[in-house]
Amino acid sequence: MRISETIDRVKSKVEKSYTHDRAFIIIFFFAILVRCYEITLPYIKYADDSTSLFAKNFLLYGYTQSHFILFLDVFHDLPHYYIAHPPFFPLIVSFFVKIFGLHEWSFRLVPILFSLGGIILFYFIIKDLWGGKIALFSSFFMSLMPFVAYQDRCIDSFSTVFFFIYLSIYAYLKWYKTNSKKYLLLLIVAVVTGCLTDYYIHLLPPCLLLYSILTKKRLKTMIFVVGTSLSTYIAGIAYVNYYANGAKSLILHHISKTSPPISIFEYIYEISNSIIHYYTLPIILLYIIYITSFIWYLISHKNSYGINREYFEKNLFILIVFSIGIIYILLFPSSVYIDRHALYFLSPFFSITAALGVTKIIDIRYKRKRVILLIVLIIFLICTTSTLHFFHSQTVVDLWGAGKMINMNTDQNDTVLIEKTGIFYTVGYYADRTIRFFRSEQHWKKYSDEEHPKYIVFASGQFTSPHSHSILNSKNYTLIYYSNFLEIWQLHHPPLVEILKTAPPIQYPIKASFSDKMEFLGYDIDKTKFEIGEISHITYYWKCLERMEENYTVFVHFTDKDGKIVFQQEHPFCHGEYPTNDWKEGEMIKEKYYSFIPANVKEGVYNVRIGVYIPHKERLDVILTENGHWDGWRLVIGKINIDMPWEFKYKTHAWLISTLCIYLFFLIMFRILGLKF
C-alpha cells in the first residue's frame, strides 16, 4: 500500500505542475541535443558549406570590396561573384566567426540557433491555432525528425530562412486577429529580412494573400506585403546587376530549376521515396490519417448541419501557408531532384499534419488507443535513431583531406584551381591558398597558362577527358588522387616516378617477389603515427624480374589485428604514366604517393598490407620475403598508429557542453521575455 500511495502522490504532483509549456521545455532540450551532435567535427559529412567559404572571404578581403555580394575568390583585384543566393546568412556567419574565431562550431552555431528559434515560434503558432496539445506534438516531431535535426546543423540557409518564415506567419496571425500595426510592421520586416536570406521566402506572401482572399480578410494590406516582397526581389536583382552584372544570370539560374531533368512520373517516384526515407514512415502514415479524416469531415458535414468555419479556416491555413514546401517542389523540380535536401521545406507541413494525425488516434473510440499511440511514437523514435545514424555516417572525407594535402605541399602564395561544383567549396575553404574556381575546360586552361597552379581539383570525369589528360600530362601534371568524387592533379617537381639504375638506400627494405614477375624492394614513409584526416607521403620501390604483358594495379589494405580491412587504397603503377607492360627486365622503379587517413577510422594500430592484381581477372602471389610476412597474396610491410585530433576525440564533451550552454541561453531569454515555464 505504501508503494501505491507514493506513486499516487507523485502522480498527483506531476499532474498539478504539468503544463504544455513545461513539457515543451523538455522537448526543446532534446531538440538542442540532436542539433549539437558532432558540432566540432570538420566538414566530412554532406553539407553545402559554401557559406563557410563566403564568410571566410568576407573576413579575408573585407565587406566593402565585395559590395556585400557573395564571392568565391578574387582575380586581378576583382571578386568572382556568386549570385545564386542573397548575402544575409553568410554575413551573420562571418560576424559569429569574428567573435568566436574560425572554427567549425562557430559556423554551425548560426543555423542551430536560428533553427531553435524557429521551433519556439512554430510552437507558439500552432498553440495559437490548435491549442497546447497539438502544439506539443508538432514541436516533438519538428524537434526530432531525423532529416530536419541533421539539416539544422548544416551550414546552409534553410533553418535561417525558415526562422523568418515562422516569424512572418506568427506576425501575420497576430495582426490577423488584433489588427495591430506593430504586428504588420513585424510581418513586413520579417519578409524583407527573409528575402535577403534566401529566395524561398518569396513563396510565402502569395500563400498568405491566397488565404486572405479565401477568408475575405486583410486583403488590401496583404497585396501591399506581396508588393513589398516583389520589390525586394527586383531591388536585389538591380543591385546585383549594378555591381556584378549578373541580373541575367540570376534570372536564368531560377528559370533553369523549373523543369525536371527526368519524366514527371520518375520524378514523383524518386521524390516520394526520398520523402519516406527522410521523414520516416510513421510521419507519413500520421499525415495520411490526418488528410483522410479531414476529407471525410468535409464530405460528411457538407450535406448535414454544415462545416465549422473556424475548424475549416485552421485547416485551410495549414494546407495553404504551411504547404510552401509542396509549392517549391512543384515550381522548382530540377533543384529538388539535384539537391534532395530542399525537401527540408516540407518539415512544418509534415510536423503539423502528423500531430493532427495523432489527435485522430486519441479521438477514436477504442480502449487500447493509448497503446496504439505509444507504439506509433516508439516506432518513430526507432526510425529517428536509425535515420540519424545514416545521415551522420555519410562521410566525404576526400574533400577535407584534399584541402589538408594542398596545405601540406604548397606555399602560402601558391595557386590552386578548383572546379566550381557544390561540395568542392569545402576544398577551397580548407586549402588556405590562392584559390581560383573554374566552371569549364576553357577556364582551367586559361588559369593554368597564366598562373601555373600547383594543384588542379576536378570532379571525377567532369572535365578530365582523354584530351584533357594529354594536356595536363604535357604541362607536367600528374594524377595523384582519384575517387568517385574528385581527381587531384599535381604539378610535380621533382617527378613522382623515377627509373633507377642502382638501388638507393631504403628506409624500410623488404624483398618480396610477386609471382616472379616483379619484386617489392621496400618503401619510405615520412612518419608512422598519424591523426585522422592527415596525409602521409609514401614512396615504393620495385624491380622488374621479367617482361610483363599485363598492366597491373597496386592495392594497399589497412587491416586491424584480426586481418579485417578497415580502409584501403589502390592505384595503377606509377600513376598510370609507366604501366607494368612497359617495364624492362632488371630496371628499378621509384614511385611516390599520398595516403589518406579516413575520418571514419577508429584510433589504434593497423597493419599495412600490399598486393598486386588485375581487377576482376588475376592477382599475384607473394612467394618470397626477407623482411615482413605474407598471407598468400598480400604482403605485410609494416604498421601505422592512428590517433584522433581533439575535434574527434572530445566530440562527446563538446556535444554535451554546447547543448547545456545553448539550453541555459534560451532559458535566460525566456525569463527576460517574461515567459513563464
Side-chain angles (χ1 to χ4, degrees):
M1 289 294 293
R2 289 180 179 178
I3 296 175
S4 61
E5 288 176 0
T6 303
I7 293 173
D8 291 338
R9 196 178 298 116
V10 171
K11 185 178 179 181
S12 177
K13 287 183 177 180
V14 170
E15 289 176 349
K16 287 180 180 179
S17 61
Y18 174 82
T19 65
H20 293 305
D21 292 346
R22 287 173 179 169
F24 170 73
I25 284 295
I26 297 173
I27 293 173
F28 190 69
F29 173 81
F30 289 100
I32 300 172
L33 191 69
V34 295
R35 280 155 181 78
C36 288
Y37 184 66
E38 294 183 340
I39 191 173
T40 59
L41 286 194
Y43 301 137
I44 58 175
K45 314 290 184 183
Y46 177 83
D48 182 14
D49 47 274
S50 55
T51 299
S52 302
L53 181 63
F54 300 144
K56 180 181 173 183
N57 285 343
F58 277 137
L59 296 175
L60 186 62
Y61 295 99
Y63 296 101
T64 55
Q65 182 176 350
S66 66
H67 304 290
F68 296 94
I69 302 174
L70 305 182
F71 66 101
L72 294 167
D73 53 52
V74 174
F75 185 58
H76 292 166
D77 295 327
L78 295 175
H80 177 187
Y81 288 113
Y82 180 89
I83 59 174
H85 297 283
F88 187 70
F89 178 65
L91 284 171
I92 298 174
V93 172
S94 70
F95 295 150
F96 268 70
V97 173
K98 207 166 189 176
I99 296 170
F100 298 109
L102 197 66
H103 309 289
E104 283 82 357
W105 61 266
S106 60
F107 286 101
R108 290 193 176 109
L109 270 179
V110 178
I112 288 173
L113 291 176
F114 273 103
S115 71
L116 295 170
I119 289 174
I120 295 170
L121 287 170
F122 183 70
Y123 171 76
F124 284 111
I125 289 168
I126 306 306
K127 185 180 179 182
D128 193 41
L129 279 172
W130 292 94
K133 184 184 292 185
I134 295 178
L136 200 61
F137 278 114
S138 299
S139 302
F140 172 77
F141 291 127
M142 177 66 77
S143 299
L144 298 180
M145 277 193 296
F147 175 53
V148 179
Y150 175 78
Q151 193 65 35
D152 280 349
R153 58 178 288 283
C154 293
I155 319 298
D156 57 40
S157 61
F158 287 169
S159 62
T160 306
V161 76
F162 256 91
F163 171 84
F164 291 108
I165 287 175
Y166 295 139
L167 186 60
S168 302
I169 295 172
Y170 177 80
Y172 173 83
L173 289 173
K174 289 293 185 182
W175 168 66
Y176 189 86
K177 289 184 176 181
T178 64
N179 201 25
S180 173
K181 291 183 179 179
K182 68 177 183 180
Y183 289 116
L184 175 60
L185 179 61
L186 179 61
L187 170 61
I188 294 172
V189 171
V191 168
V192 171
T193 311
C195 292
L196 296 175
T197 305
D198 223 323
Y199 297 111
Y200 317 120
I201 197 173
H202 287 289
L203 299 175
L204 178 64
C207 291
L208 294 175
L209 176 62
L210 177 60
Y211 181 75
S212 293
I213 292 171
L214 294 175
T215 57
K216 300 178 181 179
K217 294 180 180 179
R218 309 284 189 266
L219 183 57
K220 291 182 180 179
T221 311
M222 278 312 304
I223 293 174
F224 171 74
V225 174
V226 172
T228 303
S229 171
L230 183 61
S231 299
T232 305
Y233 180 70
I234 294 172
I237 290 178
Y239 183 84
V240 167
N241 193 62
Y242 181 79
Y243 285 107
N245 193 26
K248 182 179 179 181
S249 298
L250 182 58
I251 294 171
L252 291 175
H253 171 75
H254 290 154
I255 293 175
S256 67
K257 297 181 178 182
T258 58
S259 57
I262 54 177
S263 71
I264 188 64
F265 297 106
E266 289 178 307
Y267 175 73
I268 293 172
Y269 176 77
E270 292 282 345
I271 297 304
S272 299
N273 277 344
S274 297
I275 289 172
I276 294 171
H277 176 67
Y278 287 171
Y279 284 101
T280 73
L281 189 59
I283 292 291
I284 305 303
L285 293 175
L286 290 170
Y287 156 73
I288 293 172
I289 290 172
Y290 160 71
I291 290 295
T292 305
S293 65
F294 180 60
I295 294 173
W296 177 252
Y297 172 84
L298 295 178
I299 294 173
S300 60
H301 287 72
K302 184 177 181 181
N303 299 319
S304 55
Y305 50 84
I307 297 173
N308 183 296
R309 182 173 179 82
E310 182 184 0
Y311 177 77
F312 176 75
E313 286 188 1
K314 288 191 295 186
N315 283 276
L316 187 66
F317 190 84
I318 291 172
L319 294 174
I320 292 177
V321 177
F322 283 105
S323 61
I324 184 173
I326 298 173
I327 296 171
Y328 184 84
I329 290 173
L330 295 175
L331 288 179
F332 304 106
S334 181
S335 176
V336 178
Y337 180 78
I338 294 170
D339 184 6
R340 303 296 171 85
H341 288 238
L343 294 174
Y344 177 91
F345 302 140
L346 295 171
S347 58
F349 183 73
F350 279 131
S351 298
I352 300 170
T353 54
L356 292 171
V358 167
T359 60
K360 298 305 174 185
I361 295 177
I362 294 174
D363 292 341
I364 61 176
R365 296 177 181 178
Y366 182 63
K367 292 182 179 179
R368 299 185 182 275
K369 60 185 178 182
R370 291 187 178 181
V371 177
I372 296 173
L373 177 60
L374 184 62
I375 292 172
V376 170
L377 294 179
I378 289 174
I379 294 173
F380 167 72
L381 290 174
I382 292 172
C383 293
T384 294
T385 304
S386 61
T387 311
L388 267 175
H389 175 73
F390 168 78
F391 283 123
H392 286 292
S393 64
Q394 302 302 301
T395 59
V396 193
V397 68
D398 49 1
L399 303 175
W400 173 46
K404 293 190 67 172
M405 181 187 72
I406 288 169
N407 284 344
M408 287 174 62
N409 298 281
T410 54
D411 297 325
Q412 187 70 39
N413 296 323
D414 287 337
T415 302
V416 177
L417 299 188
I418 300 176
E419 184 185 340
K420 186 181 175 182
T421 301
I423 56 177
F424 278 22
Y425 299 133
T426 309
V427 182
Y429 169 74
Y430 279 107
D432 189 19
R433 298 294 180 261
T434 302
I435 304 297
R436 300 279 181 260
F437 287 94
F438 62 89
R439 69 175 69 176
S440 66
E441 187 177 62
Q442 182 181 0
H443 283 158
W444 73 255
K445 287 178 183 177
K446 177 183 176 182
Y447 285 138
S448 179
D449 291 336
E450 289 185 12
E451 301 193 68
H452 307 291
K454 289 290 185 70
Y455 285 87
I456 306 180
V457 181
F458 296 93
S460 293
Q462 185 73 7
F463 299 122
T464 47
S465 61
H467 174 65
S468 300
H469 280 201
S470 63
I471 295 174
L472 288 165
N473 288 325
S474 67
K475 293 183 177 182
N476 215 21
Y477 282 90
T478 298
L479 180 63
I480 63 168
Y481 182 78
Y482 177 86
S483 74
N484 293 330
F485 286 102
L486 81 165
E487 298 179 8
I488 302 177
W489 292 73
Q490 182 190 14
L491 179 66
H492 53 85
H493 299 290
L496 298 175
V497 179
E498 296 181 59
I499 309 301
L500 305 175
K501 295 182 179 180
T502 58
I506 299 175
Q507 185 180 3
Y508 296 99
I510 299 173
K511 288 192 175 182
S513 171
F514 284 90
S515 298
D516 285 332
K517 294 179 180 291
M518 63 183 73
E519 185 178 22
F520 181 69
L521 302 177
Y523 67 99
D524 300 335
I525 191 169
D526 54 350
K527 54 185 175 180
T528 57
K529 187 172 183 178
F530 305 93
E531 282 190 350
I532 288 174
E534 273 195 288
I535 297 94
S536 68
H537 298 81
I538 187 166
T539 302
Y540 300 114
Y541 296 89
W542 302 88
K543 183 177 181 180
C544 179
L545 300 180
E546 65 175 31
R547 289 297 302 268
M548 291 169 276
E549 298 296 329
E550 302 285 357
N551 183 15
Y552 290 96
T553 296
V554 180
F555 66 82
V556 183
H557 291 168
F558 298 86
T559 61
D560 59 17
K561 61 182 180 180
D562 299 321
K564 180 182 177 182
I565 301 172
V566 179
F567 64 103
Q568 61 186 13
Q569 296 167 355
E570 67 175 54
H571 53 80
F573 275 95
C574 303
H575 302 276
E577 293 182 3
Y578 192 44
T580 54
N581 53 7
D582 289 339
W583 289 10
K584 298 176 179 59
E585 184 177 341
E587 68 181 6
M588 288 173 284
I589 296 94
K590 173 184 176 182
E591 52 175 358
K592 295 181 181 179
Y593 282 94
Y594 297 99
S595 179
F596 288 81
I597 308 299
N600 56 354
V601 176
K602 297 179 180 178
E603 62 180 354
V605 178
Y606 295 91
N607 290 315
V608 183
R609 302 171 187 257
I610 194 170
V612 179
Y613 81 124
I614 299 174
H616 310 296
K617 186 176 180 182
E618 175 191 7
R619 63 188 180 198
L620 303 184
D621 292 324
V622 182
I623 59 176
L624 177 65
T625 60
E626 286 189 9
N627 299 318
H629 57 281
W630 53 278
D631 59 5
W633 53 281
R634 295 185 302 183
L635 173 68
V636 181
I637 63 174
K639 298 178 183 292
I640 61 170
N641 194 323
I642 297 178
D643 194 14
M644 289 189 178
W646 75 270
E647 297 96 329
F648 292 84
K649 189 176 293 186
Y650 300 110
K651 67 178 182 179
T652 303
H653 299 76
W655 173 36
L656 297 176
I657 291 171
S658 58
T659 298
L660 291 173
C661 289
I662 294 174
Y663 190 58
L664 290 173
F665 167 78
F666 274 102
L667 288 180
I668 294 170
M669 291 300 297
F670 291 151
R671 289 298 181 187
I672 293 173
L673 294 172
L675 301 177
K676 296 181 180 180
F677 291 92

